[in-house]
Amino acid sequence: MTFVNSEFLRDLKAFDIPTCLRVCAGTDGSVTFLLEIMTRKDVSVVTEAQHIVKADTEMSSLLKVPEGSDVNYRLVTLLAGDIPFVRALSLSPIDRMPENIRQDLMRADIPIGKILRKSGIETRRDFDNINITENDPLFDINRVLSRSYHIVHDNSTMMWINERFPVDERWDL
């Protein structure tokens, strides 16, 4: 099994974007942690939506779970200081999450990177795709970089995440 998506890396290298954004979009670690280092500010989470849904056909395929399985749907914005940097959607099969992670995730105010670091479990991030769009604005910015990946634990998808980043001067750190 290949863990490095060469197309993802090729595309990321080709984008004309600020270096700090390139680093955040290319990390296979915590975006939250990188944002705190780059901005020298605490990163906070604003929860836009969080609820348990039943996996539909698309989610079932994405997460490799049976249709109808309980999935935690979580949409958040990550802010450094009062500046929004990332909108993140996560889908997490409830029965694949260790209890301590499930409890922290349901609290909604803790970034996933911090939850995983605190738990001490070993995970990896397997990249799916990355692209830039010009027609789906985020934080009043038209040019948006989007990436998606799986967080894998014990060779099963524990979470699928899509992160969207505005491509603008906020990344000139």
Side-chain angles (χ1 to χ4, degrees):
M1 178 181 267
T2 300
F3 300 124
V4 177
N5 181 332
S6 59
E7 292 171 6
F8 182 97
L9 188 56
R10 180 201 64 217
D11 292 346
L12 179 58
K13 287 178 177 179
F15 294 148
D16 181 19
I17 57 176
T19 299
C20 287
L21 174 55
R22 185 180 318 283
V23 169
C24 282
T27 187
D28 62 358
S30 169
V31 169
T32 303
F33 189 66
L34 286 176
L35 275 175
E36 288 186 342
I37 292 168
M38 290 177 182
T39 64
R40 295 179 284 177
K41 296 181 169 137
D42 288 336
V43 170
S44 59
V45 173
V46 174
T47 303
E48 311 291 339
Q50 178 162 320
H51 47 274
I52 305 298
V53 298
K54 298 292 184 187
D56 60 15
T57 304
E58 183 180 352
M59 283 183 205
S60 173
S61 173
L62 201 56
L63 300 171
K64 306 291 187 261
V65 298
E67 284 188 45
S69 297
D70 286 340
V71 173
N72 186 68
Y73 174 101
R74 183 180 193 223
L75 182 65
V76 301
T77 297
L78 300 180
L79 295 101
D82 59 355
I83 299 171
F85 278 84
V86 184
R87 169 90 24 91
L89 168 65
S90 65
L91 301 173
S92 311
I94 295 296
D95 61 1
R96 284 209 192 128
M97 285 190 290
E99 183 60 30
N100 59 332
I101 292 177
R102 184 180 325 154
Q103 288 176 0
D104 284 346
L105 190 66
M106 298 302 186
R107 285 195 204 135
D109 59 344
I110 307 171
I112 286 173
K114 287 185 178 180
I115 292 171
L116 294 174
R117 192 166 46 248
K118 177 183 162 195
S119 77
I121 68 167
E122 289 191 29
T123 61
R124 73 172 188 268
R125 286 167 168 85
D126 289 351
F127 296 122
D128 289 333
N129 58 58
I130 189 165
N131 60 59
I132 292 180
T133 61
E134 306 278 345
N135 56 359
D136 190 13
L138 176 66
F139 313 136
D140 296 323
I141 303 301
N142 286 327
R143 191 164 186 240
V144 176
L145 184 147
S146 175
R147 75 174 190 159
S148 62
Y149 58 93
H150 291 80
I151 294 180
V152 177
H153 172 65
D154 283 342
N155 290 318
S156 294
T157 296
M158 188 170 70
M159 298 176 188
W160 174 86
I161 298 176
N162 172 257
E163 293 168 333
R164 297 178 65 229
F165 307 81
V167 180
D168 68 1
E169 66 280 347
R170 78 187 73 210
W171 296 99
D172 296 335
L173 302 168

